[in-house]
Amino acid sequence: MPELPEVEVARRAIEDHCIGKTIKRSIVANDSKVIEGVSASDFEAALVGKTIVAAYRKGKNLWLQLDSPPFPSFQFGMAGAIYIKGVAVTTYKRSAVKDTDEWPSKYSKVFIQLDDGLEFSFTDKRRFAKVRLLEDPTSAPPISELGPDALLELKSVDEFVESLSKKKTAIKALLLDQSYISGIGNWVADEVLYQFVMQAKIHPLQIASSLSRESCATLHKCIKEVIEKAIELGADSSQYPSNWIFHSREKKPGKAFVDGLAPDLAYFSPIELFIDCSPRKKIEFITAGGRTTAFVPDLQKLSRNQAANAVSKPQKQSGRKKGHKDDSDNDDVDEPASDEDKIAESVKPKKGAKSRGQGRTFPAKRKSKESDDDDDNTEDNDGEDDEDQKKVTNNKQLKAEKTNKKKVPTGKNGKNAKKKAK
């Protein structure tokens, strides 16, 4: 999903091309799921005739300051994107609207034409975004509930070290907590933990408070550098350094590897150029913070104490079924197993066993309409992944209850059944 770098690049594009111009025309989609709290006609009326004064961002949210309130606010969700006609703006691949598509796109939620003829649009292919019209975006949820911005408001090293020392949760889950630090999503968190400078890599399930001061300081630096590098490259993932785990994180388990390549010299300082140049290392996938997480076990290891404690504790029964695959881009997916369960799973010795999810073939399951969102030709689906999953679960529960009722005879029929059995 779009994270801080993608949203910041969109903000800068608006700042470069739209500031000081007046909105001549606006078309807002009649979609109450995305356009929140206001009708399409009222939204359009509030924009026309207004001048765009500034474009702001916090975390994964962007809003436009007009010459008078209210102001349009955009929460990008899973596939939100800004398109400016005739201007190259990098978009998240799952948001992509092709140049050959109609304009404005059928996925457009807010279309704006400026007084000089320039046109731009906020699109959302999967309808998880939220567009609002607010008097003061910074004082209303979700922006008012966000923690410091990972690019603009990152805590000082001392403050960061102090805050981590009080957190008893896995480090990746903490990085994904938007109330702790805003803007870091799944791929940025994976990259930060993998691209830990000096190769002192952090396991995604390492408890935050167990990190040394030196590790915390290095993590602080890595957050800043990964985000700044991504923005510098226009959030164009094809241009990211070749040794970033990003390029392999979406491959299938057992088929994802990262090369022991030398780092980008422009990215690391001379003192940081120590790197493991050994052959390819395998990428494995676990769940951390409720999200599918890519990491390199050979490099990203739990501390000895935490690994030992995890192995010694019995694992709780997980609510997940074998063969089930997470939607790696759904921020709202709840993971039934605890961090401790996941830690134990990741360090549990396996004699000759293959990595989780490999080897055994499971029967095919019903695939939700939204799951195959990598196909750019996919139509906009009205269904939600989580809603579909709930329906399937409820149906299974109802069937199970009916089956149980049939098996357990009650009343007179039950008595007759027992007599016949005798």
Side-chain angles (χ1 to χ4, degrees), residues 14 33 86 99 160 173 185 220 232 267 279 297 383:
I14 291 176
K33 184 182 175 187
D99 293 337
F160 190 62
H220 179 278
E232 176 191 328
Y267 177 46

Side-chain angles (χ1 to χ4, degrees), residues 58-59 142-151 153-184 189 192-193 207-209 211 216-217 219-220 223:
K58 185 165 185 177
I143 297 173
S144 63
E145 298 172 344
L146 297 176
D149 185 80
L151 175 67
E153 304 166 328
L154 192 60
K155 297 176 181 178
S156 69
V157 173
D158 288 340
E159 291 172 336
F160 190 62
V161 171
E162 177 66 19
S163 67
L164 287 180
S165 69
K166 300 174 182 177
K167 301 296 182 180
K168 304 296 183 183
T169 188
I171 187 61
K172 181 174 179 180
L174 186 61
L175 293 178
L176 292 177
D177 183 352
Q178 300 301 297
S179 65
Y180 177 72
I181 182 171
S182 60
I184 296 178
V192 164
L193 297 177
I207 299 301
S209 60
L211 297 174
C216 292
L219 178 61
H220 179 278
I223 290 171

Side-chain angles (χ1 to χ4, degrees), residues 70-353:
F71 308 134
S73 172
F74 306 91
Q75 185 176 0
F76 280 52
M78 292 176 70
I82 292 287
Y83 291 89
I84 303 178
K85 192 173 184 179
V87 177
V89 180
T90 300
T91 56
Y92 186 67
K93 72 172 187 176
R94 293 179 182 175
S95 310
V97 173
K98 298 177 182 178
D99 293 337
T100 55
D101 291 348
E102 61 183 323
W103 179 264
S105 165
K106 62 182 177 181
Y107 302 115
S108 176
K109 302 304 174 185
V110 177
F111 166 80
I112 291 175
Q113 183 184 56
L114 302 176
D115 55 359
D116 67 346
L118 187 68
E119 299 174 348
F120 70 93
S121 171
F122 176 81
T123 69
D124 181 21
K125 192 173 182 180
R126 296 193 63 190
R127 302 177 67 225
F128 283 92
K130 295 294 180 185
V131 179
R132 304 174 178 91
L133 199 59
L134 303 170
E135 291 293 319
D136 180 11
T138 60
S139 64
I143 297 173
S144 63
E145 298 172 344
L146 297 176
D149 185 80
L151 175 67
L152 304 175
E153 304 166 328
L154 192 60
K155 297 176 181 178
S156 69
V157 173
D158 288 340
E159 291 172 336
F160 190 62
V161 171
E162 177 66 19
S163 67
L164 287 180
S165 69
K166 300 174 182 177
K167 301 296 182 180
K168 304 296 183 183
T169 188
I171 187 61
K172 181 174 179 180
L174 186 61
L175 293 178
L176 292 177
D177 183 352
Q178 300 301 297
S179 65
Y180 177 72
I181 182 171
S182 60
I184 296 178
N186 205 26
W187 83 256
V188 171
D190 280 356
E191 200 62 59
V192 164
L193 297 177
Y194 173 70
Q195 285 294 339
F196 204 79
V197 290
M198 295 291 286
Q199 295 299 293
K201 292 178 166 57
I202 296 179
H203 192 289
L205 296 174
Q206 186 68 46
I207 299 301
S209 60
S210 68
L211 297 174
S212 66
R213 177 183 175 81
E214 182 181 2
S215 292
C216 292
T218 308
L219 178 61
H220 179 278
K221 183 177 183 182
C222 198
I223 290 171
K224 189 170 184 291
E225 291 187 335
V226 166
I227 290 174
E228 288 181 349
K229 185 64 175 179
I231 294 171
E232 176 191 328
L233 296 172
D236 182 353
S237 60
S238 67
Q239 301 299 315
Y240 290 165
S242 58
N243 67 319
W244 278 26
I245 200 173
F246 180 94
H247 300 293
S248 301
R249 65 184 305 277
E250 293 189 359
K251 294 181 180 178
K252 294 180 179 179
K255 297 184 178 181
F257 296 87
V258 64
D259 292 317
L261 301 173
D264 182 353
L265 300 183
Y267 177 46
F268 292 96
S269 62
I271 198 172
E272 296 167 346
L273 292 182
F274 171 81
I275 191 167
D276 185 348
C277 294
S278 58
R280 296 196 308 167
K281 295 186 182 297
K282 194 172 186 177
I283 296 172
E284 290 191 2
F285 299 87
I286 58 174
T287 300
R291 303 294 302 281
T292 299
T293 299
F295 80 115
V296 182
D298 288 346
L299 301 176
Q300 294 169 268
K301 301 179 184 295
L302 288 168
S303 66
R304 289 183 180 179
N305 290 340
Q306 189 172 340
N309 289 338
V311 171
S312 65
K313 291 180 179 179
Q315 293 187 53
K316 298 176 183 178
Q317 185 68 30
S318 172
R320 292 176 62 192
K321 294 182 179 180
K322 288 186 177 181
H324 174 75
K325 183 179 179 182
D326 293 320
D327 179 350
S328 62
D329 292 292
N330 193 341
D331 272 332
D332 300 322
V333 173
D334 292 324
E335 176 58 36
S338 66
D339 285 339
E340 288 183 353
D341 296 333
K342 297 302 175 184
I343 293 169
E345 180 66 25
S346 69
V347 299
K348 181 180 178 182
K350 298 179 181 179
K351 297 181 180 179

Side-chain angles (χ1 to χ4, degrees), residues 33 125-127 369-370 378-384:
K33 184 182 175 187
K125 192 173 182 180
R126 296 193 63 190
R127 302 177 67 225
K369 293 180 181 179
E370 297 288 359
T378 318
E379 295 296 326
D380 186 16
N381 296 311
D382 291 338
E384 302 273 326

